[in-house]
Amino acid sequence: MGTYDLPADLEPYGRLPTWLRAFLAEHPSTGVSVIPIGREDAARKEFERLPKVAPKLPRDSEPEGQ
């Protein structure tokens, strides 16, 4: 598992529960999302307000310059 820096106000959401860390140690995964039941909309809003840092990449099917 790798690590990354989260914005300070999202730091509490970046800590995995002990049981999940143990599970992932036995079942490696490239990504995990733990969203409590009933918090899906709030999590989506928090995610959508994060800065968009990657530029839009051109698609193979789009002509150049668009």
Side-chain angles (χ1 to χ4, degrees):
M1 284 184 266
T3 61
Y4 52 91
D5 294 326
L6 288 175
D9 55 339
L10 293 179
E11 183 91 17
Y13 300 103
R15 296 189 185 105
L16 297 178
T18 303
W19 67 267
L20 184 53
R21 282 183 275 168
F23 178 84
L24 290 174
E26 294 180 21
H27 307 87
S29 175
T30 57
V32 175
S33 177
V34 181
I35 300 173
I37 294 173
R39 294 263 309 139
E40 295 89 351
D41 288 336
R44 185 175 298 109
K45 287 177 186 173
E46 291 172 14
F47 179 77
E48 289 172 353
R49 72 178 176 77
L50 291 174
K52 312 269 187 294
V53 294
K56 183 178 177 185
L57 299 175
R59 296 185 53 86
D60 292 337
S61 60
E62 293 178 356
E64 282 190 42
Q66 286 191 9

